[in-house]
Amino acid sequence: MAPTSRFVGHGPHNALSGCWPPIPIACFGDRPKKRRRIALSGARGSAESGELIPESTCSRQCSDGQVKIIKDFQSCCFECTTCPEGTYANSTECTSCPAGQWSMSGSITCQHPTFLFLTWQNYYVIALLGFMGLIICLIFSAMVILFQHRHTILFVASGGLQCFIILLGLLGMCVSIIFYIGKPSDLKCLLQQPLLSLSFTTLLGPIQVKSMQLLFCSLSRRSCLYKLIHPGRWITLLCTLLGQFLFCAMYVKSTQPFSVDVSSLDVSSLVIYLSCKYEPLLQFGLMFAYNGLLVLLSFTCSFMAEKPVHQYYMARDITLAMLTLILAWIIFIPTYVSASAAYKSPIQMCFILSSCLGVLSTIFFPKCYLLIYKKELNSSEYFGTYIPTRQDEKATE
């Protein structure tokens, strides 16, 4: 049976109250037991006990952060739509936030973002600074031990003063992590990557020369390569460092000040982590590609070097050190790219310190152990192959 509706109007007007008594105006339902009555009391509707009042969807008020979207060309019928992120609700529509401001979904105003950065009180920073302090103590300990044994065969065979240059490079890399802590500034961002790159080159230069000496240990004194890696090793080191200095100068000249980057920042969140931008990417990539090339050359030369009979295998130390750096880069690059902005700086700091510890433990720990606990091996019989005068005699024979 089709639904029925019945309209009734009755009841006298109450002159004292100025209101009409409840008046049934309609009945809905297809059967008498299912029918419900709606009554109006005065100017507003009310429901008697057990009766239902349908809610109108055409007159519902929208919440804050919503705007009305008219349906079917009827001004009384509309939908409430929540304004998306980056916009705010005014009286009629969702309006985009001004430049430098942002909003959450369903906002009625826009706000300036909150800028966060890596503070000195951060737990990660405290742990990394403790790690840095430990490595610096180990570096100075190695310096002291080598200085006390600077006149021994082992020190000369290891490169002599070049050992101190490597340790200075390690020290510079450790200190460079300080530029990642605190609020970024123009000076910090200008020095952060050049200091790291120059320190890395200072570390790798002597290792590269030593690895070439190990590979070409049987060269004649008349050859140009011998003059380049033995008498001219300091010139080779200086040229290596100057090459990196040139790339760093290109980076510093072309990079944009940090304050300019912040002022033109494209805001897309209410919380933004501040860190130095590594741009332009070409000059930034040249700095680290240069160091990567030195690592690969050192690894190749030391890996191909001959193992001396009954003597210390120094090429193994360099091979392990370079392999440690290569593995660290393989792990670091995808981890850094996939990490959120809040963790990028701590990850980079951890990579720098891990690289320093890897080089220190593979190149200097074995030598310090021999100098302290195996003094009988600190002799020309065990390190004679790596002394230039002995190499000359071997080449003459």
Side-chain angles (χ1 to χ4, degrees):
M1 182 180 295
T4 62
S5 61
R6 180 167 57 90
F7 296 89
V8 182
H10 63 81
H13 178 265
N14 191 332
L16 294 177
S17 62
C19 297
W20 293 88
I23 304 174
I25 61 171
C27 292
F28 299 90
D30 54 356
R31 284 182 285 181
K33 290 184 179 180
K34 298 289 185 178
R35 294 182 180 181
R36 296 290 185 267
R37 295 196 308 163
I38 300 175
L40 296 179
S41 178
R44 301 178 60 184
S46 65
E48 299 177 2
S49 177
E51 296 182 348
L52 302 178
I53 302 178
E55 180 183 355
S56 171
T57 58
C58 289
S59 59
R60 183 171 67 89
Q61 293 296 321
C62 293
S63 304
D64 291 341
Q66 295 182 328
V67 294
K68 299 178 181 180
I69 304 297
I70 304 300
K71 297 194 305 181
D72 300 330
F73 304 101
Q74 299 295 328
S75 61
C76 67
C77 293
F78 54 84
E79 290 181 348
C80 293
T81 302
T82 303
C83 291
E85 291 185 357
T87 63
Y88 67 97
N90 58 19
S91 58
T92 57
E93 60 181 359
C94 296
T95 305
S96 298
C97 290
Q101 295 185 7
W102 193 253
S103 67
M104 299 296 292
S105 176
S107 299
I108 59 175
T109 59
C110 294
Q111 305 174 35
H112 289 282
T114 301
F115 293 104
L116 303 179
F117 50 86
L118 208 58
T119 63
W120 293 90
Q121 294 78 23
N122 188 286
Y123 293 117
Y124 294 108
V125 172
I126 295 173
L128 289 171
L129 287 176
F131 189 26
M132 181 191 74
L134 173 63
I135 296 176
I136 289 177
C137 289
L138 293 174
I139 291 173
F140 279 111
S141 299
M143 282 184 176
V144 171
I145 294 172
L146 291 175
F147 182 77
Q148 291 175 343
H149 299 82
R150 63 189 181 278
H151 300 299
T152 62
I153 295 294
L154 190 154
F155 179 78
V156 175
S158 299
L161 295 177
Q162 294 182 31
C163 294
F164 294 113
I165 295 177
I166 297 174
L167 290 172
L168 285 176
L170 289 173
L171 187 62
M173 288 181 65
C174 289
V175 173
S176 68
I177 73 167
I178 295 177
F179 290 91
Y180 293 86
I181 308 172
K183 185 177 181 179
S185 62
D186 289 347
L187 182 61
K188 278 185 178 180
C189 294
L190 194 65
L191 297 178
Q192 187 185 88
Q193 296 305 317
L195 176 60
L196 175 61
S197 299
L198 285 172
S199 300
F200 209 177
T201 306
T202 303
L203 155 71
L204 294 172
I207 295 177
Q208 169 61 27
V209 171
K210 188 63 182 178
S211 64
M212 292 179 67
Q213 291 176 351
L214 297 174
L215 180 61
F216 305 106
C217 58
S218 301
L219 287 175
S220 170
R221 297 187 65 176
R222 296 185 182 88
S223 65
C224 296
L225 185 57
Y226 176 88
K227 296 177 182 179
L228 186 65
I229 62 178
H230 284 288
R233 63 185 180 277
W234 293 107
I235 298 177
T236 303
L237 289 177
L238 182 61
C239 292
T240 302
L241 196 60
L242 285 177
Q244 183 62 273
F245 183 81
L246 176 63
F247 290 130
C248 291
M250 292 169 57
Y251 174 79
V252 170
K253 184 178 180 181
S254 56
T255 190
Q256 200 172 29
F258 176 76
S259 56
V260 177
D261 289 334
V262 173
S263 62
S264 59
L265 188 64
D266 185 17
V267 177
S268 59
S269 174
L270 286 177
V271 178
I272 297 177
Y273 288 89
L274 289 180
S275 61
C276 298
K277 292 185 177 297
Y278 308 138
E279 294 177 351
L281 290 177
L282 175 61
Q283 287 79 353
F284 175 76
L286 286 174
M287 289 193 301
F288 282 89
Y290 186 80
N291 286 328
L293 180 62
L294 292 178
V295 170
L296 291 177
L297 287 176
S298 300
F299 175 78
T300 304
C301 292
S302 61
F303 183 77
M304 295 176 63
E306 252 184 73
K307 180 181 180 181
V309 181
H310 304 303
Q311 292 204 6
Y312 185 76
Y313 191 18
M314 193 171 293
R316 175 190 56 198
D317 298 345
I318 298 177
T319 302
L320 290 176
M322 298 301 102
L323 186 61
T324 301
L325 292 177
I326 293 172
L327 291 177
W329 282 6
I330 292 175
I331 296 173
F332 164 74
I333 293 175
T335 304
Y336 181 85
V337 171
S338 61
S340 61
Y343 296 100
K344 286 185 181 291
S345 293
I347 289 173
Q348 193 166 357
M349 294 164 64
C350 186
F351 160 74
I352 294 171
L353 295 177
S354 300
S355 301
C356 292
L357 183 60
V359 174
L360 190 64
S361 59
T362 53
I363 292 182
F364 291 99
F365 283 3
K367 297 177 177 59
C368 292
Y369 175 80
L370 292 176
L371 289 172
I372 296 175
Y373 298 105
K374 298 289 183 179
K375 295 182 180 180
E376 67 276 7
L377 298 179
N378 190 4
S379 61
S380 58
E381 287 76 17
Y382 199 58
F383 287 94
T385 303
Y386 305 109
I387 300 176
T389 55
R390 295 299 182 96
Q391 294 175 8
D392 297 342
E393 294 174 2
K394 184 178 178 181
T396 303
E397 295 174 359

